[in-house]
Amino acid sequence: MKLKTSHILLASAALIFLSNGERVRGSLEKGEAIRQEQSSFNDYIRQNRTKARMAEKLSKVALDRYRNNCILVRTAKTTGEDYFSEGTRVMNPRLSQTLRPGAFICNSLGDTAIVSENGTIADIARITMTDQEEFKQLLSQR
């Protein structure tokens, strides 16, 4: 079998194609990694925006609870001002007793919640920075 120029050209093209195939594959993998990174970042941004909208809505709930004369309480754990956390027991500082389930409670730090059936904090809503002025006015009126 004689080697023709066309055979040499085909063999050269095949070698070039094979040697570039690895680079092309690597480039495609890098592109996919970048797309996944961008997708993850976009998801992160979307989640943060959702959390911000939820915080704004909860702040309005907290303001309504202050307007409706929520009971100012302290946590039983510290008997001082502390941010609310789910499941913590609360007490009425004037009476030193637990509160009835369903009562709206609040503190001077801008937290509001509802007393659960077992006498703990549930359904927390906090005042956001945008509502601080109105919160301060409501607190000073009390």
Side-chain angles (χ1 to χ4, degrees):
M1 179 168 135
K2 272 186 160 176
L3 275 174
K4 293 184 181 178
T5 308
S6 61
H7 289 127
I8 293 172
L9 288 175
L10 282 175
S12 297
L15 283 172
I16 291 170
F17 179 74
L18 289 174
S19 66
N20 284 332
E22 194 60 38
R23 278 189 256 161
V24 169
R25 191 174 310 119
S27 177
L28 289 174
E29 288 172 357
K30 285 180 186 176
E32 181 61 28
I34 289 170
R35 278 190 292 283
Q36 286 178 346
E37 230 176 78
Q38 288 172 338
S39 177
S40 295
F41 182 72
N42 288 339
D43 288 344
Y44 176 76
I45 296 295
R46 193 173 11 266
Q47 288 171 354
N48 280 338
R49 286 181 181 156
T50 301
K51 286 179 184 178
R53 281 192 298 272
M54 182 62 103
E56 287 297 319
K57 289 178 183 178
L58 287 174
S59 184
K60 301 301 179 204
V61 168
L63 284 173
D64 285 341
R65 289 176 181 170
Y66 276 99
R67 282 188 204 104
N68 290 313
N69 294 321
C70 55
I71 302 166
L72 283 166
V73 297
R74 298 176 190 270
T75 58
K77 184 172 150 187
T78 63
T79 64
E81 288 298 325
D82 200 6
Y83 289 104
F84 288 166
S85 60
E86 293 277 335
T88 304
R89 291 204 168 283
V90 292
M91 57 184 236
N92 185 328
R94 292 185 194 136
L95 305 174
S96 295
Q97 67 184 27
T98 58
L99 300 164
R100 67 176 169 72
F104 290 133
I105 58 173
C106 53
N107 63 21
S108 61
L109 301 174
D111 287 353
T112 68
I114 297 176
V115 178
S116 70
E117 290 297 319
N118 59 1
T120 60
I121 294 173
D123 195 26
I124 297 171
R126 290 185 168 96
I127 302 293
T128 60
M129 292 303 292
T130 56
D131 293 326
Q132 282 293 317
E133 286 304 314
E134 188 174 353
F135 163 67
K136 287 176 183 175
Q137 289 174 355
L138 287 169
L139 196 59
S140 69
Q141 290 171 1
R142 298 190 84 191

